[in-house]
Amino acid sequence: MYKKIKKKLVLLAGILFIILGLVGLVLPFLQGFLFLAIGLILLSLHSPKIREWTDVHTMKYPKIHVAIQKVDKWIVGIVGEL
């Protein structure tokens, strides 16, 4: 039961960060890219398809790919495995 609740909370947080990221792309005082990246990482914990998509699309840019992998490990350390 605890695992289901945690999975739903991670999904909700990921969607919230994606929404904030989209709003941040329009508003000058929010960092839209940062919120989008965090939202994608949280959603990638929930869905293997999103994890595969982020891996495929960041392989072109090695520095970004390494940064996303580091943040991903950090978030998994906080949230834990789903």
Side-chain angles (χ1 to χ4, degrees):
M1 174 125 171
Y2 174 72
K3 196 169 188 174
K4 287 183 182 180
I5 292 172
K6 185 165 72 166
K7 204 168 189 179
K8 287 181 182 180
L9 286 175
V10 168
L11 177 66
L12 182 66
I15 292 171
L16 180 67
F17 274 104
I18 293 290
I19 291 170
L20 282 173
L22 292 174
V23 170
L25 291 175
V26 177
L27 298 176
F29 57 87
L30 281 178
Q31 296 296 322
F33 179 74
L34 179 64
F35 286 116
L36 284 173
I38 293 171
L40 279 175
I41 291 171
L42 285 172
L43 289 177
S44 74
L45 293 175
H46 190 272
S47 171
K49 288 183 181 181
I50 295 175
R51 179 176 295 270
E52 181 181 330
W53 185 86
T54 56
D55 284 341
V56 167
H57 286 81
T58 58
M59 288 294 238
K60 300 174 193 173
Y61 310 101
K63 289 182 181 179
I64 293 174
H65 185 70
V66 169
I68 287 179
Q69 285 181 336
K70 285 181 183 178
V71 173
D72 187 27
K73 287 181 185 178
W74 181 68
I75 289 177
V76 167
I78 292 172
V79 174
E81 291 292 327
L82 295 179

